[in-house]
Amino acid sequence: MKKIVLCSALSVTLLIAGSGAQAGASEAKQGAIFTGGAVLGAIAGGPVGFIAGATVGALIGEDIKHGDQAKQENEESIKTIASLENTLAMNEALMEAQSKHQRDLELKFTDILSNLPGEVFFESNSDQLTQDGLAIIDVLAEVINYDPDTVVELIGHTDPRGTDEYNNVLSQYRAKAVADQLIELGVAEGRIASRGEGSNLSTAVKGDSEGYAFERRVDIVIRSQDTVALHP
């Protein structure tokens, strides 16, 4: 008879616990197991059995509570990891886009630098920049401002006509005209060096007007900070 009673009590316990599980609330599950354990203990061993059964039921219920908390924490951790993975993927995509943009800029300015004229020409007896000269200086300023490690050297020249004193001053003014325009376009003054050579480096044949035209110029030399010439 005791075995039958025990089985019946155990069935009651399982049914109550199962009902609590279907409700989805951990408190209900704990209460069901506590009650079932107490009933089973009472049937098996009277008051002492009731206390023992209740204690076992309470311990099992506490384990279920902890299990539910661990499950919730695990789900929150999974969500956090998923969010971090999504953020990491977005950051990687952004870095790749920035890297591509940087490579495109480098290619662009390398191409510009390779095609940039190495001099600006002037009219006879003039230190005024021409429209062609202004266009060249606009691009030059863009190149220099793009790379903060570069500096530019400007060397003014004249054709051999006129006195040395006049030619020396005119060549300096021509170099200064280019420097002033670069500064106006945002190039730091400390990154520009200029000087005049007058007609000291003239190679034109006397009376060669076409040769003279090539000597009325300012040479542009772009250098890195370690003074290695990059252009021309």
Side-chain angles (χ1 to χ4, degrees), residues 176-207:
K176 185 177 184 301
V178 176
D180 289 345
Q181 184 64 19
L182 286 173
I183 292 170
E184 186 174 332
L185 293 172
V187 178
E189 184 175 356
R191 299 174 64 190
I192 304 170
S194 64
R195 71 175 192 272
E197 286 287 350
S199 60
N200 294 333
L201 301 179
S202 173
T203 58
V205 177
K206 185 176 181 180

Side-chain angles (χ1 to χ4, degrees), residues 153-226:
E153 185 178 3
L154 306 171
I155 308 164
H157 302 276
T158 69
D159 63 49
R161 295 175 299 174
T163 65
D164 288 343
E165 182 180 1
Y166 175 80
N167 287 336
N168 289 339
V169 172
L170 180 58
S171 65
Q172 291 171 9
Y173 281 175
R174 286 173 173 170
K176 185 177 184 301
V178 176
D180 289 345
Q181 184 64 19
L182 286 173
I183 292 170
E184 186 174 332
L185 293 172
V187 178
E189 184 175 356
R191 299 174 64 190
I192 304 170
S194 64
R195 71 175 192 272
E197 286 287 350
S199 60
N200 294 333
L201 301 179
S202 173
T203 58
V205 177
K206 185 176 181 180
D208 181 2
S209 58
E210 186 175 346
Y212 290 164
F214 285 103
E215 294 186 336
R216 297 191 296 267
R217 70 184 191 278
V218 170
D219 290 334
I220 300 169
V221 181
I222 300 176
R223 301 180 183 275
S224 64
Q225 294 288 12
D226 59 5

